[in-house]
Amino acid sequence: MIDKLEFFIALAREQHFGRAAETLGISQPTLSAAVKQLEDQLGVMLVKRGSRFQGLTTEGEQVLGWARRIVGDARAMREEMRAARNGLSGRIRIAAIPTALAMVARITTPFRERHPGVSFSVLSRTSIEVLSLLGNFDIDVGITYLDNEPLGNVTSVPLYSERYQLITAVGNALSDRNEVSWAEVAELPLCLLTPDMQNRRIIDHHLAEAGTVSRPTLESNSMIVLFSHIRTGKWASIMPLNLAETFGFSEPIRAIPIVEPDASHLVGLVATRREPHVPLVAALLDEAMTLAGDFRRPD
């Protein structure tokens, strides 16, 4: 039953029998047969059938919620028994918003020093994708904004507040200022994250509050692309202070506080709300709570 429920979760996630079978490492007929057996066991139709996947039935949506809880409980039981036998070990899957990626090492490094049997995989994802991956059990924890858009049913640990800076080369417009306004920044040739990123939506919101709009001359979903363009001396950007400090901009690049308003947004660790958490997730949440104060203090 648990195997069939995992197959069903994969199908709901991929919305395609072929893709779901590929992610599971099984054949499409094997997946189709498992879903049909699950329907026979439950006595309801779960999938709208046609020449291709057409979505879940109303009963299928209900079963999906149960499937996620049951599969989550089964995984938690296996993890707890493994931890009881061997101590903490295994892989923790993390998805983080791009502006938080540079901060992940401040959690993973001390955690692995305490638990050398643990390894990590870290993905860069939008805030919406982070929550979706959590809901589908494709990651164990996420790092995202806590106070700007709805999070749903998650456990969260606040880590730090983003405060925004104009990042520009010495000699460019406004580079000699000690602070600038959002309205002034809007007039510069900006390179920003793409609109699907919550950081970009936050920036657009504060520009709108200042009575202007963002007109970036370059957009990317990669922070590396933005940094490389800033370093040419021909582009400016808006970035969180902690991110600029982590990447260690030196002269001739300046980081100038943006005011009117002096905005900040909270970033933290999130995990699916459940009791108990699997041992790895519970330990990582504890580590994050221990380290939260260090995140808020400058190095």
Side-chain angles (χ1 to χ4, degrees):
M1 171 68 81
I2 290 175
D3 286 345
K4 294 185 183 74
L5 292 175
E6 288 184 326
F7 292 175
F8 180 60
I9 291 170
L11 177 60
R13 179 180 65 244
E14 298 296 332
Q15 303 280 296
H16 188 278
F17 276 93
R19 288 197 301 272
E22 184 176 355
T23 63
L24 292 165
I26 61 175
S27 68
Q28 186 170 329
T30 299
L31 174 60
S32 298
V35 173
K36 183 65 171 63
Q37 291 167 9
L38 186 60
E39 290 178 323
D40 291 343
Q41 285 179 278
L42 297 175
V44 293
M45 295 290 291
L46 303 177
V47 179
K48 297 175 184 176
R49 281 179 167 76
S51 58
R52 62 184 64 186
F53 182 87
Q54 296 179 354
L56 302 182
T57 64
T58 300
E59 293 82 2
E61 294 289 352
Q62 290 178 291
V63 169
L64 180 59
W66 279 103
R68 287 170 172 163
R69 291 194 290 273
I70 292 169
V71 168
D73 285 341
R75 290 178 180 174
M77 179 182 65
R78 289 194 293 265
E79 290 289 336
E80 192 164 318
M81 293 305 99
R82 184 172 65 181
R85 291 193 310 270
N86 307 314
L88 284 181
S89 63
R91 179 175 294 271
I92 299 178
R93 302 162 299 167
I94 302 172
I97 55 174
T99 58
L101 283 172
M103 311 298 287
V104 174
R106 295 178 66 175
I107 296 177
T108 54
T109 302
F111 187 85
R112 194 170 185 281
E113 288 176 352
R114 296 176 191 268
H115 309 289
V118 175
S119 60
F120 298 88
S121 62
V122 181
L123 305 173
S124 175
R125 293 292 185 267
T126 68
S127 58
I128 293 172
E129 289 170 336
V130 168
L131 297 178
S132 176
L133 290 168
L134 269 182
N136 289 327
F137 298 101
D138 291 323
I139 59 172
D140 301 299
V141 298
I143 300 178
T144 188
Y145 295 101
L146 302 184
D147 61 356
N148 192 58
E149 294 180 353
L151 291 176
N153 191 29
V154 301
T155 298
S156 63
V157 178
L159 294 175
Y160 62 90
S161 290
E162 282 192 346
R163 307 186 78 86
Y164 304 98
Q165 308 270 310
L166 169 65
I167 311 297
T168 190
V170 171
N172 284 349
L174 307 180
S175 66
D176 59 341
R177 300 275 294 276
N178 292 324
E179 61 182 30
V180 294
S181 69
W182 287 89
E184 290 172 318
V185 168
E187 302 302 317
L188 299 176
L190 295 173
C191 53
L192 299 174
L193 287 171
T194 49
D196 60 320
M197 300 290 180
Q198 192 172 164
N199 171 266
R200 172 63 183 279
R201 296 195 292 275
I202 287 171
I203 288 171
D204 287 349
H205 171 73
H206 291 307
L207 290 171
E209 283 184 322
T212 186
V213 296
S214 63
R215 290 181 287 270
T217 51
L218 181 141
E219 296 176 324
S220 176
N221 63 358
S222 166
M223 297 304 302
I224 297 300
V225 171
L226 301 189
F227 279 119
S228 65
H229 281 78
I230 293 167
R231 288 189 184 278
T232 68
K234 305 297 183 182
W235 306 74
S237 189
I238 301 170
M239 292 186 180
L241 174 60
N242 59 285
L243 183 62
E245 290 175 339
T246 299
F247 275 83
F249 278 128
S250 59
E251 295 297 329
I253 303 296
R254 288 204 64 208
I256 305 168
I258 305 175
V259 297
E260 300 178 25
D262 181 8
S264 66
H265 291 274
L266 193 60
V267 175
L269 195 76
V270 294
T272 302
R273 187 182 298 277
R274 57 174 298 115
E275 291 296 338
H277 285 103
V278 299
L280 281 176
V281 171
L284 194 68
L285 289 169
D286 287 343
E287 187 79 26
M289 285 187 278
T290 300
L291 294 171
D294 294 334
F295 271 94
R296 298 187 186 104
R297 288 192 295 268
D299 293 332

